[in-house]
């Protein structure tokens, strides 16, 4: 679940607790260039107030009207489709003839949504299954590999941080990078054994491990949804992390340092039990070249490169 949809969940829970009627619309299928991905949420309150988006603003006005006048009076979910014809697509502003299919729940269960919010807030991957006929839902443990499912019987959606960023080092650059990663919907783990950096790092939005990077990486388990960025500028710590990171299935591994230092680092890593192919996975110097000078600018360049790799976009090689 991304930060936008998490805010939708918080709003829905708050409104229901205040006694409002609330409908939740979920994007279950798209065709063409629909502006919001499958799984996106929109909460609509009985007075027309909304949280979130399912189309970037194209169909919301019509959906609010339908929810207020029709759907909130019902007890079971309804499938709503926009943009079936080119005329409708043009009417609702869906780009390139896009089509949007939504499951609208007029009676979401407060107790289930409260539990879902609590589990997500404690970094638990949680799968919610909604019975399309009755509107009843159940929660169970989810995984990062879960896929969205919607058929005639049920809708299954997994919530929680699907993508993780592990940052080695807790210095100023690391914290800027963590902030941008959090804003980009990554779960962020910071690893730093140094007392001078660990002191005072007390943030609820970060997971902090005060241990040796290689040991912690083995402990937390690295998967293909994990990016690892070494930012201590201390070869003893960064190299230890990289020796494990480059052997892992992490989709991105990067390290801070000049081109000259990066070349020396690669030569050192080859002296250990790493292959040339594994060493070549290293992105260094970390980040896209945008002329960044300050820590926040460098953090922007790091996130830009990580996101590009995440989506399979080719990034320039650094010689």
């Amino acid at each position: 679940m991304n930060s936008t949809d998490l805010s939708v969940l918080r709003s829905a829970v708050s409104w229901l607790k205040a006694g409002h009627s609330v409908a939740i619309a979920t994007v279950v299928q798209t065709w063409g260039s629909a502006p919001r991905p499958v799984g996106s949420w929109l909460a609509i309150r009985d007075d027309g107030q909304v949280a979130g988006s399912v189309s970037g603003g194209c169909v919301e006005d019509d959906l609010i009207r339908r929810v207020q006048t029709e759907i909130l009076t019902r007890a079971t979910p309804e499938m709503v489709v926009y943009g079936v014809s080119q005329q409708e697509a043009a009417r609702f502003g869906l780009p390139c003839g896009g089509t949007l299919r939504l499951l609208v729940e007029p009676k979401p269960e407060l107790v289930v949504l409260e539990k879902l919010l609590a589990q997500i807030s404690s970094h638990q991957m949680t799968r919610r299954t909604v019975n399309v006929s009755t509107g009843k839902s159940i929660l169970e443990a989810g995984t990062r590999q879960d896929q969205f499912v919607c058929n005639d019987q049920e809708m299954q959606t997994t919530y929680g941080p699907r993508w993780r960023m592990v940052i080695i080092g807790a210095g100023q650059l690391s914290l800027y990078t963590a902030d941008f990663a959090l804003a980009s919907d990554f779960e962020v783990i910071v690893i730093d054994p140094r007392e001078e950096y660990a002191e005072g790092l007390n943030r609820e939005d970060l997971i902090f491990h005060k241990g040796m990077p290689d040991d912690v990486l083995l402990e937390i388990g690295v998967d293909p949804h994990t990016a690892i960025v070494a930012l201590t500028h201390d070869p003893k710590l960064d190299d230890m992390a990289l020796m494990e990171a480059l052997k892992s299935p992490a989709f991105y591994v990067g390290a801070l340092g000049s081109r000259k230092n990066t070349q020396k680092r690669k030569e050192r890593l080859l002296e250990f039990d790493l292959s040339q192919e594994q060493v070549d996975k290293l992105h260094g110097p970390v980040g896209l070249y945008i002329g960044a000078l300050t820590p926040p600018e460098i953090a922007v360049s790091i996130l830009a490169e990580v996101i590009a790799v995440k989506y399979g976009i080719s990034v320039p090689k650094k010689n």
Side-chain angles (χ1 to χ4, degrees), residues 2-15 22-26 36 39-56 60 63-64:
N2 63 40
S3 58
T4 301
D5 293 328
L6 183 56
S7 71
V8 174
L9 176 58
R10 289 193 178 111
S11 294
V13 168
S14 175
W15 294 343
V22 176
I24 293 178
T26 304
R36 292 283 282 145
S40 298
W41 271 15
L42 172 71
I44 304 171
R45 206 165 75 177
D46 46 19
D47 60 0
Q49 187 167 335
V50 299
S53 171
V54 291
S55 74
E60 273 77 358
L63 182 61
I64 292 167

Side-chain angles (χ1 to χ4, degrees), residues 220-242:
I220 64 175
V222 176
D223 62 20
H225 288 78
T226 305
I228 302 170
V229 185
L231 301 178
T232 71
H233 226 319
D234 182 342
K236 295 189 298 296
L237 295 176
D238 284 348
D239 286 5
M240 291 176 68
L242 293 173

Side-chain angles (χ1 to χ4, degrees), residues 36-200:
R36 292 283 282 145
V38 165
S40 298
W41 271 15
L42 172 71
I44 304 171
R45 206 165 75 177
D46 46 19
D47 60 0
Q49 187 167 335
V50 299
S53 171
V54 291
S55 74
C58 302
V59 306
E60 273 77 358
D61 285 347
D62 184 78
L63 182 61
I64 292 167
R65 179 192 60 77
R66 291 177 69 170
V67 165
Q68 288 184 294
T69 59
E70 304 170 28
I71 297 175
L72 277 178
T73 64
R74 298 170 187 164
T76 57
E78 179 173 338
M79 200 68 71
V80 177
V81 181
Y82 286 101
V84 173
S85 66
Q86 286 200 337
Q87 289 81 4
E88 278 188 298
R91 174 189 167 198
F92 293 115
L94 292 169
C96 305
T99 302
L100 197 60
R101 189 166 172 242
L102 310 170
L103 182 69
V104 185
E105 302 170 61
K107 296 290 186 291
E109 301 158 283
L110 175 58
V111 64
V112 173
L113 297 185
E114 285 183 309
K115 185 176 180 181
L116 176 61
L117 180 59
Q119 292 183 183
I120 295 170
S121 299
S122 61
H123 305 285
Q124 297 180 54
M125 296 289 295
T126 305
R127 190 166 185 81
R128 177 173 175 253
T129 300
V130 180
N131 185 303
V132 173
S133 298
T134 67
K136 298 296 183 182
S137 60
I138 60 170
L139 301 179
E140 54 195 344
T143 71
R144 297 180 195 277
Q145 287 71 42
D146 288 344
Q147 299 296 314
F148 180 87
V149 173
C150 186
N151 52 43
D152 293 339
Q153 289 78 44
E154 62 186 18
M155 177 181 71
Q156 296 182 358
T157 314
T158 298
Y159 303 101
R162 288 184 176 274
W163 300 91
R164 290 190 299 181
M165 177 174 286
V166 180
I167 300 173
I168 313 301
Q172 185 184 42
L173 174 59
S174 296
L175 296 182
Y176 277 116
T177 303
D179 287 337
F180 287 124
L182 288 166
S184 302
D185 301 312
F186 284 84
E187 176 184 54
V188 178
I189 299 172
V190 177
I191 306 172
D192 200 322
R194 300 172 295 181
E195 291 288 344
E196 62 271 28
Y197 287 98
E199 191 69 31

